[in-house]
Amino acid sequence: MSRQVVLPSNSYSYLPSSLHEHSLASLSYRTPQQQQLTLRSPELPASINFATSQTHHPSPNNSGMGYVQSEEELAELEKLSNEYRPVATGPLVGERQPSNNITAEYANADPVYRAKTAALPQKYSHYRTCRGDGHCGWRAIAFGYFENLARVGDALKFQEEETRLRSMGNILNAVGFDEELYEDFAGDTYDLLRKIAATIGTSDDGTVLFSSFNDEPLSLSIITYLKLLTSAWMQTRPDEYQPFLLGDDIREYCSRNIEPAVCEIDHVGVSVLADVLLKPAGFALEILYLDRSPGTEVTPHCMDPLDVNGIPFQNPPTIRLLYRPGHYDLLYKLEEVLAIPSHSLGTSVYLAHDAEDYTPISRYEDVLSVIPGMSLAASASNPMGWNYGALPLDYNSTPISAAPIATDPSYQSVHMPNPVHDFPSHHLAMEQPVNVVSSTIPIDRPGPFRPSAWELKTDFSNLNQAIPFQTSIFRNSHYNTAHFLNPDFQPEEWSPDSEYVTTNNKQRSKSSSQ
Amino acid sequence: MANRKRIVKELSDVTRSPPPGTRVQLLDESDVHIWEVLMDGPPESVYVGGHFKIKVTLPTDYPFKPPLLSFTTKIYHPNVSNDDKGSMCLGMLRSDEWKPANRISAAIEMARNLLIAPNADDAVEVSIADQFKNDRAEFEKIAKDWTKRYAGKA
């Protein structure tokens, strides 16, 4: 095509200019024009549609820029522009991919987008594209619903959901939908619920769901069912939703904005769909707006399920959508990606011992620091079989507190950089295992990551604070509260009970007698 | 074909109780995607006495795309394209207004209602629409003439 379509840059200025260099190429966005068509907002101003259809169907007597089109030609062009649909490519639902791809997409974009997309992967490590064919919002929520059911992994829950959805046949009938016509759409939805329920406990990792949603008729069928549900729910609750319609008749509104085959979900639709499909299932919906509003992070909008008493659920399974004006994709937090199946505790202990085999981590090494369960795994492994929890109890009777030491910055700057080797009690530590524990004060490292399972968890410092330092140098230091120069000076007391509990009682009793 | 069940269901309904003044059959018994509708000109319209054949083509992704209606019998009407296609595309038949829960019989009824009351504001033939609005007598004369000439025999 000789005449390239030139779109006004402001119409899709939220899009990055460097699309083709990055991940999107892998989604079979091949030519620059296709990229523009695929990725811009489906709701284009009419003028752009107009220009584009003109390019596709040049008028025969289009001899120059200055000519005046006849009324019929205008009508013809208007018809073409009304019928024009951008060619959407890519899978209906894409594979999950790291969200730094989004950051890369926006590398050359507006600073607001740069800042927001740079912060995005820290909270939401992965995303999944949905094809921008005018169904993406419906499809994203539908997919998220099934995916969260699968993640919950309870076959009973699937049955409950099917029963619940079937029971809504009465509202569909009540607003006049013909059962004969909607039963196919509903049936497809029930079938998928059953198919996915059957994969629970098998090695299926979402392939059934993924391939079902990439089967266009099936995907559309489920979307249609959800549209009908949304419409019926809305029409049977006019008091609740009428105020959002700015005076439109609710029946008319649903007929125009919810039910048509090609009709993207609008904000009212999203909230009704959350009310009818997600909240009763105990799922939350979180929509993260990526737009040019001021700020450094995507703007979240949450719709949380409430229990019978109107109290929000604690940490409900959540469907997260990334919303860029006119388009929805799915977002995931890292813990949702590395969803830990119920049997995995033993596995993570094993993984902590043999890090080389822990492939999920090596795949995401740049985000190691946020992996939940790493500390859990190591504490569960407890290589020496020590009972850390019991340690401070041994010292409970000792009034000495090391808390001032832990919080004294000057002390830390001198001794902390390499605590294991520089710590003055090194030689003592070799003889007295208990002091080894107290000498490995957590290193001040950002995040809960520990290079070795032999190192204590960071929150172990709370326990450590109760453990007094009893090295020859420390005992005489004014950092010791037993030293009269210490502002928190407190004389040590001799505790006869401790004599028979710890191995260093001799030393302790010696110091207390000073 | 996933939608075959639905189409067969609709076909059996519409053959059992067709909209008034119409008969529906398959153009080719082996293909449920192409229907032939025989529509008598409604008595209250200028097309009275005519017998019109309408071809209804169901796309492969029906019911997610609308059926295509085309008059194989030539007709003088602002909403029917005056060419060899004779296509009618407005209202629920537009792809952006079509609802998967619509029935084909509803589309046929809409076509019949348009014969009774043409929609000149959403016309495909602008000049016929102008005539319909501004010179009704001339419009009716031509429409009757065409009906006699092209839609006379059943």
Side-chain angles (χ1 to χ4, degrees), chain B residues 31-129:
Chain B
D31 185 0
V32 295
H33 286 87
I34 301 178
W35 296 13
E36 188 180 58
V37 179
L38 302 167
M39 186 180 286
D40 295 335
E44 60 270 58
S45 74
V46 292
Y47 307 101
V48 63
H51 305 278
F52 299 91
K53 278 188 185 168
I54 305 170
K55 193 170 89 171
V56 178
T57 311
L58 306 177
T60 52
D61 37 7
Y62 181 82
F64 305 113
K65 292 273 169 61
L68 306 173
L69 258 63
S70 55
F71 279 75
T72 45
T73 308
K74 211 166 159 64
I75 183 171
Y76 192 73
H77 192 286
N79 303 111
V80 180
S81 68
N82 184 17
D83 54 16
D84 52 351
K85 290 198 199 78
S87 58
M88 173 180 268
C89 181
L90 74 164
M92 67 157 74
L93 294 173
R94 281 211 173 96
S95 58
D96 52 349
E97 282 181 42
W98 172 255
K99 293 168 200 157
N102 285 347
R103 282 171 177 276
I104 302 166
S105 61
I108 296 170
E109 268 178 72
M110 188 192 79
R112 186 167 186 275
N113 288 334
L114 279 169
L115 295 191
I116 300 168
N119 180 352
D121 294 327
D122 196 358
V124 58
E125 291 298 333
V126 182
S127 54
I128 301 180

Side-chain angles (χ1 to χ4, degrees), chain A residues 163-273:
Chain A
T163 312
R164 183 173 72 87
L165 294 180
R166 280 184 188 277
S167 76
M168 283 198 275
N170 57 14
I171 62 164
L172 292 174
N173 297 335
V175 299
F177 291 127
D178 192 338
E179 181 159 4
E180 220 173 52
L181 295 186
Y182 73 69
E183 68 185 3
D184 293 347
F185 310 128
D188 281 340
T189 311
Y190 308 149
D191 285 350
L192 186 58
L193 279 173
R194 289 184 191 174
K195 260 197 257 171
I196 295 172
T199 66
I200 292 176
T202 68
S203 60
D204 179 82
D205 50 353
T207 330
V208 171
L209 177 61
F210 186 77
S211 57
S212 299
F213 265 80
N214 278 299
D215 172 1
E216 189 154 16
L218 179 54
S219 188
L220 280 174
S221 183
I222 291 167
I223 289 170
T224 304
Y225 174 65
L226 295 183
K227 284 181 174 179
L228 297 179
L229 264 192
T230 304
S231 170
W233 187 262
M234 198 162 158
Q235 290 180 60
T236 48
R237 284 159 185 75
D239 295 346
E240 222 169 297
Y241 298 113
Q242 184 69 61
F244 295 102
L245 305 183
L246 305 171
D248 285 2
D249 175 59
I250 203 161
R251 167 84 212 110
E252 179 73 5
Y253 183 87
C254 291
S255 165
R256 217 179 40 240
N257 296 306
I258 305 284
E259 293 164 23
V262 183
C263 171
E264 188 47 289
I265 196 164
D266 59 8
H267 293 64
V268 180
V270 167
S271 89
V272 181
L273 183 56

